Amino acid sequence: KNIVRHCFWHCKSMASWFMSGMRATSPRSVVSREDRSNAERSALSGKSSRTSSIVQLLRLRETSRGRAASVLAADVLQWSMGRWMSSPAQSSAYCRISEAKSTIALAFSADGELFASTHGDHTVKVFDCSTWAHKCTLRGHDRTPWTVKFHPHYRWILATGSLDQTVRVWDVQTGECLCRNDFGFVVSCISFHSSGELLAVTAGKRISLWRWQQGSQTTTEMMTDDTLPLRSNTGRRVFEFLSGRGTASDEVGANPVSTMLEGEQPQRCVAFKRSATHELLFVAETNADPPPLLPSHLTGQVQMVPPFTVQLWMWFLPTQLEGVLGLRCNTERAALRVPQCVMYSDAGFDVSRCGRFLALCELDPQVGYRLRSFSLQRHSLGVQLQTVALPNCPYVTSVQFSPLTDAVLIGYGRCQAPQQHQAPQYAVLRGIQFRGDRQEEMTTEEVQLFSVDSTDESNVALFHPHAASCALLGFLYATKDGRIRAFKHDRELSEG
């Protein structure tokens, strides 16, 4: 013990001596008070120091305090992501999947540790984000799972909705189906409420709320690749843990499913999002009329028309769970409506992590198809912000904000070139710079950060939810032939 105590004291003394010697030549003594005050003023006014010199950014970060330091730290992270985004295709690979058909949907766990995919062979596959390794396969759906979502708080809880008209909740650790419910029509989309206690489900023309921990059709079958169905009490233990009541709720006569919206046309997607003050609810319903043909001067000789368009509604909801239970949505009282959107799933639009911006592909009969962003702030709700004229907008399958809201990831499901002039490869992904509150119209060339050329057709593309993870996994996309391509930062290929 005396030897350990002596070594600890010696190391502490050496560290103190080293730091005292370094203080005289540290960046803290180099930066003038004027530079420091300017950095703090710019950060506090919302105009952070956008400089290409990482040395200057690091120096200002070390000498700033409070909110200014936080803004400058975000600038450093944005700088590093910008360097990587310039050539992400240099560091990519396809995940190893055996016997997989078309990959339909993707989802990340909230902590960024796992991602899951659904496939045309009726399976759900779960992967590790740090290694891209396949962890397990969930089996039990009779038809293709069309949508997948992780629980917002527990990465080992996963929900899937399928063409077999059921929604299942799984325990990823054991492969168990914890509970399921039949909604009487093919399920196209599901979304967890931020509390994790509710699932919104689109089935046909109806959107339902399912309190999945109460009165559900519980099952504890364990479905894995190498074993027959087993019986286990793990499912009940998970219910006990999540509910905090000690038992799963199977109340007699309880109805855990309520109708939130009954539309006139098929519902395409539903999504709960969060802002700083509210829970945001988005619903997309198929438009009854086919997409209009645009004037020839906008399209040239080739008319690219999606099979349908949707109208998107948004409501502000209270953050408390009690304010959502029994909710009936009235489209006439929606806070926001976008009448013509190109959207095939809930990956076709996104809300920034701060809850201030909405991005999607919109059809404007006057100007054609555009990538548009809207303000979601109360004082400027619905104001059109950045507009980008993108090629092949009718076949955009994904519109996703980056974690720092400085870029938008665009995924394409079909080639941009006309059939007779089709090239061997085309842009399956585009990274578009997002400039925040600016109201401006731009071309793709003005704001494109990168493009990924491939013969793949992307069903869905997603950013990893955490910006700092780009060294392990930055973003990925799923293809119609069943593959998943992941991109990461490679130190050996990076400059500097």
Side-chain angles (χ1 to χ4, degrees), residues 170-187:
W170 307 83
D171 180 358
V172 174
Q173 290 181 312
T174 64
E176 291 184 21
C177 177
L178 301 177
C179 60
R180 62 182 173 84
N181 198 82
D182 193 318
F183 286 86
F185 205 89
V186 295
V187 176

Side-chain angles (χ1 to χ4, degrees), residues 94-358:
Y94 290 95
C95 299
R96 294 181 179 179
I97 308 176
S98 61
E99 302 178 357
K101 294 184 180 180
S102 179
T103 306
I104 306 300
L106 294 172
F108 281 101
S109 61
D111 61 1
E113 294 291 329
L114 304 174
F115 71 88
S117 59
T118 67
H119 299 271
D121 58 1
H122 309 171
T123 64
V124 181
K125 301 184 186 300
V126 181
F127 300 82
D128 186 283
C129 285
S130 60
T131 62
W132 307 356
H134 176 222
K135 292 182 68 69
C136 66
T137 298
L138 307 176
R139 303 180 185 274
H141 282 295
D142 296 327
R143 295 184 63 189
T144 301
W146 208 251
T147 176
V148 58
K149 293 293 185 297
F150 278 92
H151 192 281
H153 306 299
Y154 306 108
R155 67 170 176 265
W156 55 87
I157 301 297
L158 181 72
T160 54
S162 171
L163 300 183
D164 65 8
Q165 306 182 6
T166 67
V167 175
R168 291 173 176 254
V169 180
W170 307 83
D171 180 358
V172 174
Q173 290 181 312
T174 64
E176 291 184 21
C177 177
L178 301 177
C179 60
R180 62 182 173 84
N181 198 82
D182 193 318
F183 286 86
F185 205 89
V186 295
V187 176
S188 59
C189 187
I190 59 175
S191 180
F192 273 105
H193 183 267
S194 60
S195 66
E197 297 187 31
L198 287 176
L199 269 169
V201 180
T202 63
K205 299 180 180 180
R206 179 178 300 171
I207 295 182
S208 304
L209 280 178
W210 178 28
R211 199 161 190 178
W212 60 274
Q213 294 169 238
Q214 293 187 356
S216 53
Q217 303 170 29
T218 59
T219 177
T220 53
E221 288 186 352
M222 181 183 295
M223 306 299 290
T224 64
D225 291 332
D226 303 320
T227 63
L228 295 174
L230 302 176
R231 305 299 294 181
S232 168
N233 63 351
T234 304
R236 186 164 295 276
R237 290 201 302 269
V238 173
F239 273 105
E240 293 171 2
F241 176 74
L242 293 179
S243 64
R245 291 188 297 271
T247 60
S249 178
D250 295 314
E251 300 174 5
V252 177
N255 184 8
V257 179
S258 60
T259 300
M260 184 169 60
L261 178 66
E262 188 82 36
E264 298 179 356
Q265 300 295 325
Q267 306 297 322
R268 286 290 168 180
C269 67
V270 61
F272 285 112
K273 304 287 186 178
R274 282 301 298 266
S275 71
T277 57
H278 291 84
E279 188 90 16
L280 307 179
L281 173 65
F282 290 87
V283 171
E285 182 180 282
T286 307
N287 283 315
D289 297 328
L293 294 177
L294 301 179
S296 58
H297 72 277
L298 295 177
T299 60
Q301 298 180 350
V302 180
Q303 280 276 11
M304 297 185 296
V305 180
F308 58 87
T309 60
V310 303
Q311 52 183 327
L312 183 71
W313 291 293
M314 187 204 76
W315 291 266
F316 288 106
L317 303 180
T319 56
Q320 296 81 8
L321 181 64
E322 292 74 15
V324 182
L325 295 175
L327 176 69
R328 294 284 295 189
C329 292
N330 186 342
T331 56
E332 296 181 356
R333 297 181 180 179
L336 177 66
R337 176 178 176 266
V338 184
Q340 297 273 359
C341 309
V342 179
M343 194 179 302
Y344 303 100
S345 69
D346 59 342
F349 79 100
D350 197 19
V351 173
S352 61
R353 296 288 292 273
C354 60
R356 298 168 55 198
F357 307 111
L358 167 69

